Amino acid sequence: ISKGLHCPPDRRGIEYVDAAQPGLYILCRRDSDIQSYFLRYTNRLGKTAHLLLGRVAEMTLKEARYRAKEERAKIREGADPRADIKAINDRPTLTEFYFSTYLPRIKLRNRSWKSADLIFKKRLQPKWGDRRLDTITKAEAESYLSELLSEGNAPATADHVIKILRNILSVAVSYEIIDRNRLSGVALILQDNKVQRLLTEDELQRLIRVLNEDETVASDVAMLALLTGARMGELLNAQWEQIDRESNVWRIPASISKSKRSRPV
């Protein structure tokens, strides 16, 4: 198709219009040997727009006509291909979204945000910081898991890095910045590295005896943990007004509860 199509020496460029498919044309430029297919159409603002379909060297005329027909059908339904491409290109990078939206959000909602922030700056920002949110793939995340393991990181640590990245993308989906989270099905290692050690009855009685005899705040906290099963953060932030001495109930408020829900103990 490109044989014989040249830009006249007195012109900067010339369009060869296809008579079979409305709006389709080949653009030849004087300063370039690359010839490309374009679709000319009227956008939602009533202005003429030009959509690049592909290079002549990489696409046949039949393929270009089919693509032009598809795009024109979308335009008739109200789409604007050029605007859609611009919207995709305008999506923020991982670093931009993290500091502008994600970090302020977790500071309000997650008491362990400093740990997540450290992981982002040490691991995720150097790896994908300049990438647009919608371009990070599942295959890349799983490959990075292997890389983290090869560096000597524990499986749970490697998983945690990817979980933070996955959560960042989930928040971006909730803000309608990207259409979907491409890491939603990423294969984590999920190795259980926790070791359970249950006290025998004799050990339990000896522990209680030591805690009762030791008059320190640490022993008081340990005894309260033993009696209630409460989390350490809840214990250290407990206030006297939360204790109902008549009913012997400690009402843990949502503000210090990990589940963000109040509960009686």
Side-chain angles (χ1 to χ4, degrees), residues 234 250-257 259-265:
E234 297 168 340
W250 171 25
R251 300 192 181 280
I252 301 177
S255 60
I256 65 172
S257 171
S259 64
K260 300 296 183 182
R261 296 177 182 176
S262 60
R263 74 179 194 280
V265 173

Side-chain angles (χ1 to χ4, degrees), residues 195-206:
V195 177
Q196 277 196 341
R197 168 71 164 83
L198 301 180
L199 296 178
T200 65
E201 183 63 28
D202 180 60
E203 290 172 328
L204 180 59
Q205 293 305 320
R206 282 191 287 143

Side-chain angles (χ1 to χ4, degrees), residues 79-95:
D80 186 347
R82 283 283 298 166
D84 293 341
I85 291 172
K86 184 178 185 302
I88 290 173
N89 292 334
D90 287 344
R91 286 173 180 166
T93 64
L94 180 64
T95 295

Side-chain angles (χ1 to χ4, degrees), residues 101-117:
T101 305
Y102 186 78
L103 183 58
R105 175 188 172 97
I106 63 171
K107 281 184 177 180
L108 294 174
R109 299 166 181 258
N110 190 342
R111 286 192 291 271
S112 61
W113 68 268
K114 290 184 179 180
S115 173
D117 187 48

